[in-house]
Amino acid sequence: MTTILYSICQYLSSFIVFERPAIYVIIISVNEAYAMASDKKLIKELLIVGKKIEQCGLVIGEGGNISARQGKMAYIKSRGVSMAAAKDADYIPVDINTGRPLDPKSKPSTEVPMHIDCYKSRKDIGAVIHTHPIFITALGISGISFKSLSYEAKVYLKSDIAAVPYVKPGSAALGRAVGKA
């Protein structure tokens, strides 16, 4: 499991937040390539990463979601679609300032507030990955501290792993809590 997380961290890079007791892992990228990517290229990257996440067993079925920043917009996976089955049209542009999708009929992830607050809290965040890995969930519920995992974790993550208390999934309160972490 550690190798899988490092591999994804290498691909996107930098920061993880855990929510307790029902843990969600969020890997937040500071990859500047996203800032320069075209919409189509960005969505292609999201599709590739989403498939890798599901292949690695970090999500099951429709669980989890990913997004990437593109200027004042974030492309967020739509709800009800697995990462492996997602198509280009399943990544919905959402205004970072308002948290609203460009197309009011579209249905982005219920975790839009969490993604948006991450982008608002730090301008260097390029992507948010929200997964549900079994072993990380178990560790989080156990209350074990994540401050000193290993030298490799510090090199890849470039910061400690923050923890936030349990907050209702999809809520604005969760968005604020994760954004502050």
Side-chain angles (χ1 to χ4, degrees), residues 15-68:
F15 184 78
I16 297 181
V17 177
F18 290 91
E19 176 192 344
R20 292 184 178 147
I23 305 281
Y24 302 97
V25 177
I26 302 163
I27 302 172
I28 302 174
S29 169
V30 292
N31 187 340
E32 292 180 17
Y34 285 126
M36 307 289 249
S38 69
D39 295 352
K40 288 181 181 184
K41 182 177 180 185
L42 186 66
I43 291 170
K44 181 180 177 187
E45 291 292 316
L46 286 166
L47 290 166
I48 291 168
V49 171
K51 285 178 183 15
K52 285 185 179 187
I53 288 169
E54 192 155 335
Q55 288 169 357
C56 292
L58 297 175
V59 294
I60 297 171
E62 299 167 3
N65 46 71
I66 59 177
S67 69

Side-chain angles (χ1 to χ4, degrees), residues 121-144:
S121 70
R122 288 184 29 202
K123 302 301 179 209
D124 63 333
I125 293 173
V128 175
I129 300 177
H130 171 182
T131 65
H132 300 245
I134 294 168
F135 296 112
I136 298 299
T137 300
L139 284 172
I141 291 170
S142 73
I144 294 172

Side-chain angles (χ1 to χ4, degrees), residues 100-134:
R100 294 188 185 113
L102 286 186
D103 178 358
K105 295 177 185 176
S106 64
K107 294 183 180 180
S109 167
T110 57
E111 296 293 358
V112 166
M114 180 178 57
H115 290 254
I116 296 305
D117 278 317
C118 289
Y119 293 125
K120 285 181 176 180
S121 70
R122 288 184 29 202
K123 302 301 179 209
D124 63 333
I125 293 173
V128 175
I129 300 177
H130 171 182
T131 65
H132 300 245
I134 294 168

